[in-house]
Amino acid sequence: MAASGLPPLPPQLKAVQHYLRTAQELDKREPVVAYYCRLYAMQTGMKTDSKNPECRKFLCKLMDQLEAMKKQLGDNEAITQEIVGCAHVENYALKLFLSADNEDRAGRFHKNMIKSFYTASLLIDVLTVFGELTDENVQHRKYARWKATYIHNCLKNGETPQSGPVGMEDEYNENEEADSQGLHNQEAQPSPSAFESGNVPASSFTGIHIPPGAHAPANTPAEVPHSTGTTSNAIQPTPQSIPIVDPSLYNVQAAGEMRLTPEDFARAQKYCKYAGSALQYEDVSTAVQNLQKALKLLTTGRE
């Protein structure tokens, strides 16, 4: 595959092709996510083969592309601050994941939903540029890849998939290149229902926890740019309900009276991170909820 401005992808770097293709698809809609997809591809390519002349030439061109993007997005905090960038990519991946899960739960099986599951799993891979994945994200990635493969194979064979995690004991083999190639190459039309529901359940399947605030913000467009004329039933947007600020939080403890642990500060920082990311999507309700959680933790030492 040859990305825009890049030479043909060497066979040795075949493992990064889906991430580069995802970056191309998101260049206009989500340039920050596209940037980190390319960064992940470059880091993975360097580990795979940086000595072969063909690979080195490709990776140098990819590095130039990254530098150009970084300069263009230089005033974006999601590029200059890793914690903001991590929150941005993570929330975007979980939006795709939860929109696909919502369609799956409703029994609406289509190519757009399959690709949302699969792309979400790729973006969770991309999160490793920021460090080790959380247990929740590891679970999300495994479930998303299994679900995408299962539904893809069912539709290909003319079978009706089962909603939810039924049958997950049949493990998905991540090395099945043919399946993953088919998943990424399939075309799908953006579904109006993909992100319009602002009240996606926080935890809608067995054994997998959705981090607080990491649900699909309302009124965000679907991300798959291709079209085959296949659509799904639309879910009407749910108006955002902005929570009332807890009056008890106004009684802030005086400085020095509350002793917080490093873990408390880390959790408060995570709530603020989710709030900031939610504001990028104008999701006021999620932002307020997470800011309240951070404030409560900082003023009472409890969640």
Side-chain angles (χ1 to χ4, degrees):
M1 130 183 202
S4 176
L6 294 176
L9 182 70
Q12 299 94 321
L13 302 182
K14 186 178 180 181
V16 307
Q17 65 181 331
H18 299 317
Y19 304 94
L20 293 174
R21 186 170 297 156
T22 298
Q24 282 186 280
E25 293 172 353
L26 296 177
D27 269 333
K28 293 182 179 179
R29 293 180 177 86
E30 280 289 338
V32 168
V33 181
Y35 170 83
Y36 284 114
C37 285
R38 289 188 173 95
L39 180 60
Y40 174 84
M42 189 193 71
Q43 291 181 353
T44 303
M46 293 291 288
K47 294 175 184 176
T48 303
D49 191 343
S50 61
K51 295 182 179 180
N52 178 280
E54 189 180 5
C55 293
R56 189 163 60 246
K57 178 182 177 181
F58 182 89
L59 293 171
C60 286
K61 289 290 186 181
L62 180 57
M63 192 176 301
D64 290 341
Q65 195 175 73
L66 279 166
E67 287 299 321
M69 290 188 72
K70 190 172 184 179
K71 184 176 181 180
Q72 184 180 7
L73 301 170
D75 59 347
N76 192 316
E77 288 188 346
I79 298 296
T80 59
Q81 298 184 35
E82 281 196 359
I83 191 169
V84 179
C86 181
H88 188 98
V89 176
E90 182 178 32
N91 275 5
Y92 192 80
L94 290 175
K95 282 192 305 170
L96 284 174
F97 179 93
L98 292 173
S99 70
D101 183 60
N102 189 47
E103 291 291 275
D104 176 39
R105 294 286 167 173
R108 293 187 289 265
F109 305 107
H110 50 85
K111 291 181 179 180
N112 187 64
M113 175 258 276
I114 296 171
K115 191 168 183 181
S116 291
F117 266 133
Y118 184 62
T119 303
S121 75
L122 296 180
L123 295 183
I124 293 174
D125 285 337
V126 171
L127 286 174
T128 59
V129 303
F130 303 104
E132 188 175 350
L133 293 177
T134 64
D135 291 340
E136 290 86 357
N137 282 334
V138 170
Q139 292 175 14
H140 286 129
R141 180 176 62 183
K142 180 179 179 180
Y143 183 87
R145 285 189 178 157
W146 165 77
K147 199 68 183 179
T149 303
Y150 166 69
I151 298 173
H152 170 75
N153 289 337
C154 283
L155 296 183
K156 183 174 65 175
N157 297 328
E159 302 171 357
T160 301
Q162 289 182 292
S163 297
V166 178
M168 195 174 174
E169 61 272 10
D170 298 327
E171 291 293 330
Y172 165 65
N173 181 0
E174 296 187 16
N175 294 321
E176 294 179 0
E177 179 61 31
D179 281 343
S180 64
Q181 182 74 28
L183 288 171
H184 200 103
N185 285 342
Q186 64 183 317
E187 296 184 341
Q189 173 168 332
S191 166
S193 63
F195 299 116
E196 288 180 352
S197 174
N199 292 328
V200 179
S203 183
S204 57
F205 44 91
T206 305
I208 300 181
H209 170 68
I210 305 299
H215 66 274
N219 303 323
T220 307
E223 305 308 326
V224 183
H226 305 298
S227 174
T228 60
T230 303
T231 59
S232 64
N233 297 327
I235 300 175
Q236 293 300 318
T238 303
Q240 294 192 44
S241 176
I242 300 175
I244 299 174
V245 176
D246 184 351
S248 66
L249 298 180
Y250 290 119
N251 300 320
V252 180
Q253 293 281 347
E257 291 185 13
M258 179 57 59
R259 293 195 175 185
L260 300 173
T261 66
E263 290 76 16
D264 291 331
F265 284 113
R267 287 198 299 272
Q269 188 177 43
K270 189 171 185 179
Y271 286 133
C272 292
K273 177 182 71 172
Y274 283 129
S277 186
L279 287 175
Q280 291 184 332
Y281 297 98
E282 300 180 2
D283 186 0
V284 178
S285 177
T286 298
V288 171
Q289 288 173 358
N290 282 281
L291 289 173
Q292 285 189 6
K293 291 175 181 178
L295 183 56
K296 181 178 180 181
L297 179 60
L298 293 173
T299 55
T300 68
R302 300 187 304 273
E303 293 190 66

